[in-house]
Amino acid sequence: MGLLSSKSSTSSRGSFQGIAGELLFNALEKLSEMDFKRFRDVLAHGDLQGQRCIPWGRLQKADRTDTKNLMLRFYGGDAALNVAEAVLEQIHLRDTAAWLREEREKALRRAAFSSSSVSDYKKNYKKDIRNAYSRMKDRNARVGDKVSLNHRYSKLVIVNKHRDEEQREHEIMAMGRRHTEIMKEQANSSVTVDDLFKPSPDGWTPKVVVLLGAAGIGKTMTARKIMLDWASDKVFVEFDYVFYIHCREGNLLTSEASVEDLISRCCPSGFPPLTEMLKNPEKLLFVIDGFDELRFSFDRPQADLCSQPWEKRPVDIILSSLFRKTVLHDCSLLITTRPAALQKLSKCLECERHVEILGFSEAERKEYFHKFFENREQAATAFQFVRGNETLFTMCLVPIMCWIICTVMKQQLSRKRDLTQSTKTMTGIYILYLSALLSSLSSELKQSMPEVLRRLCSLAADGVWKQKVLFTEEEVHEYALEDRKVLPLLLNEHTFHKDIDCISTYSFIHLSFQEFFAALFYLLEDEGEAQMLPADPTRDVNKLLENYSNSRNYFMLTVRFLFGLLNEERRNTLQKETGCKISPKITQKLLTWLQESQKNALAVLTQETTVIRELELCQCLYEIQDERFVTTALDHFTGMYFRGVNLNQFDQIVLSFTIKNFPRLESLDLGHCSFIWDDPKDYTGLQPAKQMYPEKQQEEGKESPIHLLCQALEKSGCELKTLRFDQCQLTGACCRALAPVLRAKTTLMELDLGGNKELSDRGVKLLCEGLNHAACQVQTLRMGCCNLTAASCKDLAAVLGATPSLAHLDLSDNPLGDGGVQELCRGLTQPSCRVQKLWLWRCCLTGVGCRALATVLRANSNLTELHLGDNKLGDRGVRRLCESLQDAACRVQTLRLWRCCLTEVGCRALATVLRMNPNLTELHLGDNELGNAGVRQLCESLRDAACRVQILSLWQCRLTEACCADLFTMLTASQSLVHLDLSENDLGDSSVQLLCEGLRQPTCLLQKLWLKKTGLSKEMLQNLAALKEIKPNLNIGYI
């Protein structure tokens, strides 16, 4: 279809010819030299969809300008663009073709509607949107103070997020804490706002996008920026109209309305051309901001919903109809919400795309500081200070915190005050910010602050209990909050349409501030005003804590502030600034609740009721910053268990603080956790306390995401016994941080680093510095699947000789090879080596490595368990092992040789071991080509009275019914076998029937039997089940 109709004027055609030429030239400029050559080649020789080719003689030496002119001369402007798109598609430059198509469509819209009234309205609408959204008020702005949104806005990191319906998400507060559990493969993915409605790789184009984010993370700012950028033709050019609906306004609409009414309310001026707008609903986008603030129920039946945009219904039905696509089915929705409301929202939506705002990266934090401060030098000073303070730097991940810190620092820097103590916790930041607000009051107004603050706290608590963030003018007046000079400092006023009128409503600057004042409500001494206030919320803090324990959502930050406000220094500061009396009398109640609530959470695991499993408990303890209180609270516990948690920088700071004040800590389990940390170059201004190593070593330390935790463990007075960091994506640099812990903690007995594939040989070398220390008493070391090679084995061999405490060494699933194991065996044969369990499964071993291992079996009488599964040892290698297994000095009790390429030849050697080694009680031979002949040889030895094997695993050993006679005889004769695994073998009914006969015999001691269920008849399964009556101790399992 052409860009211009046949009625277009000659001048219009000429005008478009110039536009087409510009588009063609810009498209050609995007091509590399090679792609440009390919483009000309197809233009001269390819299939141009009916258009004639341009002779190669003209194109051969043509540059981009020449090519553009030739195309315009040959085809004309419109056809030239068609040809260009076709050629770009043929040479697989689809992105460039798409760009050209989009730019062409923009030109189409500009040309087609330039003189229409609808187009005029659209232009005016965009102009109104630009005027309405181009400037913003700071949360503490004075009358008339506004800043440019483009100047203040810094790009946020947005990632794709998909959640299962069953996953329960809790509200994440603006603390720098990572606010949702992010799949590891999604953690580094980032999308732009312009990508939100683009097709996925499988071609699916979403009509609904849900933008998740914690309180203060920048959802509303992003929504407003989208409005401004759309109106400026920077994003979402596919939509003719974008409408912004804030859910706070939806809560206030009590009369009936229609979708058309909602659209009209979104239009700043004039009567919108609704008929024309609604003709193409696919061109409409509704930005619905703050779904979590809606207090409506969305459980309406389908019959109650509306299907026409002119139908007037209650607002909850109108919004439900939009969400559930019964009205304007083809329109698009962009919905922002906190994670706590996601389940409620998901019930209304189908086939939506989820994305999540993570906050500012370091670059955007720096950019924000420079945009916020008018003085460049002041901005640099503030940012340098924040980057040197890990807590503040972490909090700046969250925009609301970045704004608060910038706000208070701007005032503090002008007075040249030190912020290092005042801003250590979130409570400290909020107190400092409140102090900054109150400092602008006159002495006369400050005298009324105690009364105002008590009433404000009562309003805040009432709102928290009712899950309400927006208060009508009447509600504010009921709490006697009428001082127009003080009130704007603490509450924001909003003007909304209600029917044909405008009404004023109030909210706290941010929900987190409401929760701060709600917490303060429970600490303010009642001076007789309670009876004067309407429906004063209960002052019983136990009820608040009980409700928080049940919900774990809405009261989270309120409870955290309760702990923070109990800090004596913070209380004194607040009393001085506000003139209110703040009592610490709830301290004991919080202490009791903290211990009891954790115990209740672990009721199903009564044997581990002294283990902390909720990170939020640590967050509360961090806020109070009272070492005596924290130590008393933690005295009830002995361990921390946080497996599978994404721990951001602030979480690690909190954990470090807890560890330092946890004298009874014995176990720290952080397996499967992700330690999210910024690039090490961001931390060039670390404090002297972190300068523990030479420059290169220090750099490695800063690369470690666990260095804070390790420093805390090293300095803590706890007697740590178990430390688990398995599958945490740790790198070699982490081992430098761990080495001092091994030296400092003489009580540490177990260290699990398994599954950290990037640990590598470099990490082992660093770790061995700690393991070789005389103070190290580690007994169990797990380093399976850490990408270790033979290069690590020399260092580990030295550890084996120098650390007699080491009893269990797991190096499984590492490509050590025969050379590595030979090196390792030099340490295993040292007289000082006390290793009892050695796990080397899947280590790329062959029969060559068995020679060195055989030496260990004779020389190390401490070794009782050897795991060599999934190595290509072969019969020859096993024969070498068996020679030593028969030695009287060998004490091996458990031998695992599954998937080791064994045949009946290897069984002959093993059969001898069964008779000669009375220590061997457990033998695993699964997934080997033993066959019936091999099992026959084993059975002969198992019948021998000298054999002590109790557990025998023969799964998937290619056994058939021919071996069952031997198994029958063995079962009736063996004096020790209690566990037999025959799963994944095709035995059949007749063979199993013979086994049943053996199991019935009184001389059969078997207690556990595993079989392959496939291939057994129903009758056979019933016969096996009936054995339970004869042998009540016998359990039969199926795989």
Side-chain angles (χ1 to χ4, degrees), residues 150-198:
N150 279 331
H151 177 74
R152 176 59 60 84
Y153 182 82
S154 292
K155 187 178 72 173
L156 293 157
V157 176
I158 304 175
V159 296
N160 289 321
K161 186 61 188 176
H162 304 280
R163 292 189 177 274
D164 296 331
E165 292 181 3
E166 297 180 359
Q167 286 182 303
R168 182 179 297 272
E169 299 175 0
H170 67 277
E171 186 84 12
I172 308 298
M173 300 305 168
M175 283 288 293
R177 173 181 178 179
R178 188 171 179 84
H179 43 281
T180 57
E181 289 298 313
I182 305 292
M183 297 293 289
K184 288 184 175 69
E185 62 269 20
Q186 292 178 322
N188 294 323
S189 65
S190 180
V191 297
T192 65
V193 167
D194 208 25
D195 295 329
L196 297 183
F197 288 96
K198 285 187 177 178

Short mmCIF file of all heavy atoms in Angstrom, two decimals, residues 150-198:
data_model
loop_
_atom_site.label_atom_id
_atom_site.label_comp_id
_atom_site.label_asym_id
_atom_site.label_seq_id
_atom_site.Cartn_x
_atom_site.Cartn_y
_atom_site.Cartn_z
N ASN A 150 12.68 14.74 32.74
CA ASN A 150 13.79 14.22 31.94
C ASN A 150 15.13 14.47 32.63
O ASN A 150 16.04 13.65 32.56
CB ASN A 150 13.80 14.86 30.55
CG ASN A 150 12.81 14.20 29.61
OD1 ASN A 150 12.52 13.01 29.74
ND2 ASN A 150 12.27 14.97 28.67
N HIS A 151 15.25 15.61 33.29
CA HIS A 151 16.51 15.93 33.97
C HIS A 151 16.70 15.06 35.21
O HIS A 151 17.82 14.62 35.50
CB HIS A 151 16.54 17.40 34.37
CG HIS A 151 17.77 17.78 35.14
ND1 HIS A 151 19.00 17.91 34.54
CD2 HIS A 151 17.96 18.04 36.47
CE1 HIS A 151 19.90 18.23 35.46
NE2 HIS A 151 19.30 18.32 36.63
N ARG A 152 15.62 14.79 35.93
CA ARG A 152 15.73 14.02 37.17
C ARG A 152 15.75 12.52 36.93
O ARG A 152 16.38 11.76 37.67
CB ARG A 152 14.57 14.39 38.10
CG ARG A 152 14.51 13.58 39.41
CD ARG A 152 15.78 13.71 40.25
NE ARG A 152 16.04 15.08 40.63
CZ ARG A 152 15.49 15.68 41.69
NH1 ARG A 152 14.62 15.04 42.44
NH2 ARG A 152 15.81 16.93 42.00
N TYR A 153 15.08 12.06 35.89
CA TYR A 153 14.91 10.61 35.68
C TYR A 153 16.23 9.95 35.29
O TYR A 153 16.95 10.43 34.42
CB TYR A 153 13.88 10.35 34.59
CG TYR A 153 13.62 8.89 34.34
CD1 TYR A 153 12.75 8.16 35.15
CD2 TYR A 153 14.24 8.21 33.29
CE1 TYR A 153 12.51 6.82 34.92
CE2 TYR A 153 14.01 6.87 33.05
CZ TYR A 153 13.14 6.18 33.88
OH TYR A 153 12.90 4.84 33.67
N SER A 154 16.53 8.86 35.95
CA SER A 154 17.67 8.01 35.58
C SER A 154 17.13 6.63 35.23
O SER A 154 16.21 6.12 35.87
CB SER A 154 18.67 7.91 36.73
OG SER A 154 19.30 9.15 36.95
N LYS A 155 17.72 6.04 34.23
CA LYS A 155 17.23 4.75 33.72
C LYS A 155 17.30 3.68 34.80
O LYS A 155 18.27 3.59 35.55
CB LYS A 155 18.05 4.32 32.51
CG LYS A 155 17.50 3.08 31.82
CD LYS A 155 18.32 2.72 30.59
CE LYS A 155 19.68 2.17 30.98
NZ LYS A 155 20.44 1.67 29.83
N LEU A 156 16.25 2.89 34.87
CA LEU A 156 16.18 1.78 35.82
C LEU A 156 16.47 0.46 35.11
O LEU A 156 16.18 0.30 33.92
CB LEU A 156 14.80 1.72 36.48
CG LEU A 156 14.47 2.90 37.40
CD1 LEU A 156 12.97 3.04 37.54
CD2 LEU A 156 15.11 2.71 38.75
N VAL A 157 17.02 -0.49 35.85
CA VAL A 157 17.26 -1.82 35.30
C VAL A 157 15.95 -2.60 35.36
O VAL A 157 15.37 -2.77 36.43
CB VAL A 157 18.36 -2.55 36.09
CG1 VAL A 157 18.53 -3.97 35.56
CG2 VAL A 157 19.68 -1.80 36.00
N ILE A 158 15.49 -3.06 34.21
CA ILE A 158 14.24 -3.82 34.13
C ILE A 158 14.57 -5.18 33.53
O ILE A 158 15.26 -5.28 32.52
CB ILE A 158 13.19 -3.10 33.25
CG1 ILE A 158 12.94 -1.69 33.79
CG2 ILE A 158 11.90 -3.89 33.20
CD1 ILE A 158 12.01 -0.86 32.92
N VAL A 159 14.09 -6.25 34.17
CA VAL A 159 14.37 -7.60 33.67
C VAL A 159 13.07 -8.34 33.42
O VAL A 159 12.04 -8.05 34.03
CB VAL A 159 15.24 -8.40 34.65
CG1 VAL A 159 16.60 -7.77 34.82
CG2 VAL A 159 14.55 -8.56 36.00
N ASN A 160 13.11 -9.29 32.52
CA ASN A 160 11.96 -10.17 32.30
C ASN A 160 11.72 -10.99 33.54
O ASN A 160 12.67 -11.46 34.18
CB ASN A 160 12.24 -11.12 31.12
CG ASN A 160 12.22 -10.40 29.80
OD1 ASN A 160 11.41 -9.52 29.58
ND2 ASN A 160 13.15 -10.76 28.92
N LYS A 161 10.47 -11.20 33.88
CA LYS A 161 10.18 -11.98 35.08
C LYS A 161 8.96 -12.85 34.84
O LYS A 161 7.90 -12.35 34.49
CB LYS A 161 9.91 -11.05 36.26
CG LYS A 161 9.75 -11.79 37.57
CD LYS A 161 11.00 -12.56 37.91
CE LYS A 161 10.82 -13.46 39.10
NZ LYS A 161 12.00 -14.25 39.36
N HIS A 162 9.11 -14.14 35.02
CA HIS A 162 8.01 -15.07 34.91
C HIS A 162 7.83 -15.77 36.25
O HIS A 162 8.79 -16.28 36.82
CB HIS A 162 8.29 -16.11 33.82
CG HIS A 162 8.57 -15.48 32.48
ND1 HIS A 162 7.58 -15.03 31.65
CD2 HIS A 162 9.74 -15.20 31.87
CE1 HIS A 162 8.13 -14.52 30.57
NE2 HIS A 162 9.44 -14.61 30.67
N ARG A 163 6.60 -15.83 36.71
CA ARG A 163 6.34 -16.43 38.03
C ARG A 163 5.24 -17.49 37.90
O ARG A 163 4.26 -17.29 37.20
CB ARG A 163 5.91 -15.37 39.04
CG ARG A 163 7.02 -14.42 39.37
CD ARG A 163 6.62 -13.52 40.54
NE ARG A 163 7.73 -12.66 40.90
CZ ARG A 163 8.69 -13.03 41.74
NH1 ARG A 163 8.66 -14.22 42.28
NH2 ARG A 163 9.66 -12.20 42.02
N ASP A 164 5.42 -18.57 38.63
CA ASP A 164 4.39 -19.58 38.70
C ASP A 164 3.25 -19.09 39.57
O ASP A 164 3.44 -18.28 40.48
CB ASP A 164 4.95 -20.88 39.31
CG ASP A 164 6.03 -21.47 38.43
OD1 ASP A 164 5.98 -21.28 37.21
OD2 ASP A 164 6.91 -22.13 38.99
N GLU A 165 2.07 -19.61 39.29
CA GLU A 165 0.91 -19.15 40.05
C GLU A 165 1.04 -19.50 41.53
O GLU A 165 0.54 -18.79 42.39
CB GLU A 165 -0.36 -19.78 39.47
CG GLU A 165 -0.69 -19.25 38.07
CD GLU A 165 -1.95 -19.84 37.50
OE1 GLU A 165 -2.59 -20.63 38.23
OE2 GLU A 165 -2.30 -19.54 36.35
N GLU A 166 1.72 -20.60 41.83
CA GLU A 166 1.80 -21.06 43.21
C GLU A 166 2.82 -20.29 44.03
O GLU A 166 2.85 -20.38 45.26
CB GLU A 166 2.11 -22.56 43.24
CG GLU A 166 1.03 -23.41 42.58
CD GLU A 166 1.37 -24.88 42.62
OE1 GLU A 166 2.46 -25.21 43.15
OE2 GLU A 166 0.57 -25.69 42.15
N GLN A 167 3.68 -19.57 43.37
CA GLN A 167 4.71 -18.85 44.12
C GLN A 167 4.10 -17.68 44.86
O GLN A 167 3.45 -16.83 44.27
CB GLN A 167 5.80 -18.34 43.17
CG GLN A 167 6.70 -19.44 42.66
CD GLN A 167 7.79 -18.87 41.76
OE1 GLN A 167 7.50 -18.22 40.78
NE2 GLN A 167 9.02 -19.13 42.11
N ARG A 168 4.36 -17.65 46.15
CA ARG A 168 3.88 -16.55 46.97
C ARG A 168 5.00 -15.53 47.11
O ARG A 168 6.10 -15.85 47.53
CB ARG A 168 3.47 -17.08 48.35
CG ARG A 168 2.90 -16.00 49.26
CD ARG A 168 2.49 -16.58 50.57
NE ARG A 168 1.42 -17.54 50.39
CZ ARG A 168 0.13 -17.21 50.39
NH1 ARG A 168 -0.23 -15.95 50.55
NH2 ARG A 168 -0.79 -18.13 50.23
N GLU A 169 4.65 -14.28 46.80
CA GLU A 169 5.65 -13.23 46.88
C GLU A 169 5.33 -12.32 48.05
O GLU A 169 4.19 -12.02 48.34
CB GLU A 169 5.66 -12.41 45.58
CG GLU A 169 6.00 -13.24 44.38
CD GLU A 169 5.89 -12.43 43.11
OE1 GLU A 169 5.55 -11.24 43.20
OE2 GLU A 169 6.12 -12.99 42.05
N HIS A 170 6.32 -11.91 48.74
CA HIS A 170 6.12 -10.98 49.85
C HIS A 170 6.59 -9.59 49.44
O HIS A 170 7.39 -9.42 48.53
CB HIS A 170 6.86 -11.43 51.10
CG HIS A 170 8.33 -11.39 50.96
ND1 HIS A 170 9.06 -12.41 50.37
CD2 HIS A 170 9.23 -10.44 51.31
CE1 HIS A 170 10.33 -12.09 50.38
NE2 HIS A 170 10.48 -10.91 50.93
N GLU A 171 6.04 -8.62 50.11
CA GLU A 171 6.37 -7.22 49.81
C GLU A 171 7.82 -6.95 50.18
O GLU A 171 8.28 -7.30 51.25
CB GLU A 171 5.47 -6.31 50.65
CG GLU A 171 5.63 -4.86 50.32
CD GLU A 171 4.79 -4.45 49.12
OE1 GLU A 171 3.93 -5.25 48.71
OE2 GLU A 171 5.00 -3.36 48.63
N ILE A 172 8.51 -6.33 49.31
CA ILE A 172 9.89 -5.96 49.57
C ILE A 172 9.96 -4.46 49.75
O ILE A 172 9.48 -3.71 48.92
CB ILE A 172 10.81 -6.37 48.41
CG1 ILE A 172 10.59 -7.84 48.07
CG2 ILE A 172 12.25 -6.10 48.77
CD1 ILE A 172 10.90 -8.79 49.18
N MET A 173 10.53 -4.07 50.85
CA MET A 173 10.58 -2.65 51.14
C MET A 173 11.84 -2.00 50.56
O MET A 173 12.79 -2.66 50.18
CB MET A 173 10.53 -2.43 52.66
CG MET A 173 9.26 -2.98 53.26
SD MET A 173 7.79 -2.30 52.46
CE MET A 173 6.52 -3.37 53.12
N ALA A 174 11.79 -0.70 50.50
CA ALA A 174 12.85 0.06 49.85
C ALA A 174 14.09 0.11 50.72
O ALA A 174 14.37 1.08 51.40
CB ALA A 174 12.37 1.48 49.54
N MET A 175 14.82 -0.98 50.71
CA MET A 175 15.99 -1.10 51.57
C MET A 175 17.24 -1.45 50.79
O MET A 175 18.26 -1.70 51.35
CB MET A 175 15.75 -2.19 52.62
CG MET A 175 14.86 -1.74 53.75
SD MET A 175 15.73 -0.60 54.82
CE MET A 175 16.96 -1.65 55.52
N GLY A 176 17.15 -1.52 49.50
CA GLY A 176 18.26 -2.03 48.73
C GLY A 176 18.24 -3.54 48.68
O GLY A 176 19.06 -4.18 48.05
N ARG A 177 17.27 -4.11 49.37
CA ARG A 177 17.14 -5.57 49.36
C ARG A 177 16.53 -6.03 48.04
O ARG A 177 15.59 -5.43 47.55
CB ARG A 177 16.25 -5.98 50.52
CG ARG A 177 15.90 -7.46 50.53
CD ARG A 177 14.99 -7.78 51.70
NE ARG A 177 14.64 -9.18 51.67
CZ ARG A 177 13.87 -9.78 52.56
NH1 ARG A 177 13.37 -9.08 53.55
NH2 ARG A 177 13.61 -11.06 52.49
N ARG A 178 17.04 -7.03 47.46
CA ARG A 178 16.47 -7.55 46.21
C ARG A 178 15.07 -8.01 46.50
O ARG A 178 14.82 -8.79 47.41
CB ARG A 178 17.32 -8.70 45.68
CG ARG A 178 16.89 -9.16 44.30
CD ARG A 178 17.91 -10.15 43.77
NE ARG A 178 17.54 -10.64 42.46
CZ ARG A 178 17.81 -9.98 41.34
NH1 ARG A 178 18.41 -8.83 41.38
NH2 ARG A 178 17.45 -10.47 40.18
N HIS A 179 14.11 -7.54 45.71
CA HIS A 179 12.72 -7.63 46.12
C HIS A 179 11.98 -8.83 45.58
O HIS A 179 10.82 -9.00 45.85
CB HIS A 179 11.99 -6.33 45.72
CG HIS A 179 12.32 -5.84 44.36
ND1 HIS A 179 13.49 -5.15 44.09
CD2 HIS A 179 11.68 -5.95 43.19
CE1 HIS A 179 13.53 -4.85 42.81
NE2 HIS A 179 12.46 -5.32 42.24
N THR A 180 12.52 -9.65 44.78
CA THR A 180 11.88 -10.91 44.39
C THR A 180 12.94 -11.97 44.19
O THR A 180 14.11 -11.67 44.04
CB THR A 180 11.10 -10.78 43.07
OG1 THR A 180 12.00 -10.33 42.10
CG2 THR A 180 9.92 -9.85 43.19
N GLU A 181 12.52 -13.22 44.19
CA GLU A 181 13.43 -14.31 43.87
C GLU A 181 13.61 -14.36 42.36
O GLU A 181 12.66 -14.60 41.61
CB GLU A 181 12.84 -15.63 44.38
CG GLU A 181 12.86 -15.76 45.90
CD GLU A 181 14.28 -15.73 46.43
OE1 GLU A 181 15.13 -16.42 45.89
OE2 GLU A 181 14.51 -14.98 47.37
N ILE A 182 14.82 -14.07 41.87
CA ILE A 182 15.09 -14.01 40.44
C ILE A 182 15.78 -15.31 40.00
O ILE A 182 16.75 -15.74 40.60
CB ILE A 182 16.01 -12.82 40.12
CG1 ILE A 182 15.42 -11.51 40.65
CG2 ILE A 182 16.25 -12.72 38.62
CD1 ILE A 182 14.18 -11.07 39.96
N MET A 183 15.26 -15.91 38.94
CA MET A 183 15.93 -17.08 38.40
C MET A 183 17.33 -16.68 37.96
O MET A 183 17.54 -15.62 37.38
CB MET A 183 15.17 -17.61 37.18
CG MET A 183 13.77 -18.10 37.50
SD MET A 183 13.77 -19.56 38.55
CE MET A 183 14.36 -20.78 37.40
N LYS A 184 18.30 -17.54 38.24
CA LYS A 184 19.68 -17.17 37.96
C LYS A 184 19.89 -16.78 36.49
O LYS A 184 20.65 -15.88 36.18
CB LYS A 184 20.61 -18.34 38.32
CG LYS A 184 20.76 -18.55 39.81
CD LYS A 184 21.77 -19.65 40.08
CE LYS A 184 22.03 -19.80 41.57
NZ LYS A 184 20.87 -20.33 42.29
N GLU A 185 19.18 -17.48 35.61
CA GLU A 185 19.40 -17.16 34.20
C GLU A 185 18.77 -15.85 33.78
O GLU A 185 19.07 -15.32 32.71
CB GLU A 185 18.85 -18.28 33.30
CG GLU A 185 17.35 -18.51 33.43
CD GLU A 185 17.02 -19.55 34.50
OE1 GLU A 185 17.88 -19.80 35.35
OE2 GLU A 185 15.92 -20.09 34.45
N GLN A 186 17.88 -15.29 34.65
CA GLN A 186 17.25 -14.01 34.34
C GLN A 186 17.95 -12.85 35.02
O GLN A 186 17.69 -11.69 34.69
CB GLN A 186 15.79 -14.02 34.80
CG GLN A 186 14.91 -14.97 33.99
CD GLN A 186 13.50 -14.99 34.50
OE1 GLN A 186 13.27 -14.92 35.70
NE2 GLN A 186 12.54 -15.07 33.59
N ALA A 187 18.84 -13.12 35.98
CA ALA A 187 19.40 -12.06 36.81
C ALA A 187 20.14 -11.02 35.98
O ALA A 187 20.12 -9.83 36.31
CB ALA A 187 20.33 -12.65 37.87
N ASN A 188 20.80 -11.46 34.91
CA ASN A 188 21.59 -10.52 34.12
C ASN A 188 20.85 -9.99 32.89
O ASN A 188 21.40 -9.20 32.14
CB ASN A 188 22.91 -11.18 33.68
CG ASN A 188 23.80 -11.49 34.86
OD1 ASN A 188 23.86 -10.73 35.81
ND2 ASN A 188 24.48 -12.63 34.81
N SER A 189 19.63 -10.47 32.70
CA SER A 189 18.88 -10.01 31.52
C SER A 189 18.28 -8.64 31.80
O SER A 189 17.86 -8.34 32.90
CB SER A 189 17.76 -11.01 31.18
OG SER A 189 16.81 -11.04 32.22
N SER A 190 18.28 -7.83 30.79
CA SER A 190 17.76 -6.47 30.95
C SER A 190 17.01 -6.08 29.69
O SER A 190 17.43 -6.40 28.58
CB SER A 190 18.91 -5.48 31.19
OG SER A 190 18.42 -4.17 31.34
N VAL A 191 15.87 -5.43 29.87
CA VAL A 191 15.08 -4.96 28.74
C VAL A 191 14.83 -3.47 28.89
O VAL A 191 14.92 -2.92 29.99
CB VAL A 191 13.73 -5.71 28.63
CG1 VAL A 191 13.95 -7.18 28.38
CG2 VAL A 191 12.90 -5.50 29.89
N THR A 192 14.51 -2.83 27.80
CA THR A 192 14.17 -1.42 27.85
C THR A 192 12.65 -1.28 27.83
O THR A 192 11.92 -2.22 27.50
CB THR A 192 14.76 -0.67 26.65
OG1 THR A 192 14.15 -1.15 25.44
CG2 THR A 192 16.27 -0.87 26.57
N VAL A 193 12.18 -0.09 28.16
CA VAL A 193 10.74 0.16 28.13
C VAL A 193 10.18 -0.10 26.74
O VAL A 193 9.09 -0.66 26.58
CB VAL A 193 10.46 1.62 28.58
CG1 VAL A 193 9.02 2.01 28.26
CG2 VAL A 193 10.74 1.78 30.06
N ASP A 194 10.94 0.24 25.72
CA ASP A 194 10.47 0.06 24.34
C ASP A 194 10.30 -1.41 23.97
O ASP A 194 9.65 -1.74 22.98
CB ASP A 194 11.46 0.73 23.38
CG ASP A 194 10.78 1.20 22.10
OD1 ASP A 194 9.56 1.43 22.15
OD2 ASP A 194 11.46 1.33 21.07
N ASP A 195 10.91 -2.32 24.76
CA ASP A 195 10.81 -3.76 24.48
C ASP A 195 9.57 -4.40 25.08
O ASP A 195 9.28 -5.56 24.79
CB ASP A 195 12.03 -4.50 25.04
CG ASP A 195 13.32 -4.10 24.37
OD1 ASP A 195 13.27 -3.75 23.19
OD2 ASP A 195 14.37 -4.12 25.04
N LEU A 196 8.84 -3.69 25.92
CA LEU A 196 7.80 -4.32 26.73
C LEU A 196 6.72 -5.00 25.91
O LEU A 196 6.22 -6.06 26.29
CB LEU A 196 7.17 -3.30 27.68
CG LEU A 196 8.11 -2.67 28.72
CD1 LEU A 196 7.36 -1.74 29.65
CD2 LEU A 196 8.82 -3.76 29.52
N PHE A 197 6.34 -4.39 24.79
CA PHE A 197 5.28 -4.97 23.97
C PHE A 197 5.80 -5.58 22.68
O PHE A 197 5.02 -5.86 21.77
CB PHE A 197 4.22 -3.90 23.65
CG PHE A 197 3.37 -3.52 24.84
CD1 PHE A 197 3.71 -2.42 25.62
CD2 PHE A 197 2.27 -4.28 25.20
CE1 PHE A 197 2.94 -2.07 26.73
CE2 PHE A 197 1.50 -3.94 26.30
CZ PHE A 197 1.83 -2.83 27.07
N LYS A 198 7.09 -5.80 22.61
CA LYS A 198 7.65 -6.41 21.40
C LYS A 198 7.45 -7.93 21.44
O LYS A 198 7.37 -8.52 22.51
CB LYS A 198 9.13 -6.06 21.27
CG LYS A 198 9.35 -4.62 20.81
CD LYS A 198 10.83 -4.35 20.53
CE LYS A 198 11.01 -2.93 19.99
NZ LYS A 198 12.42 -2.60 19.75
#
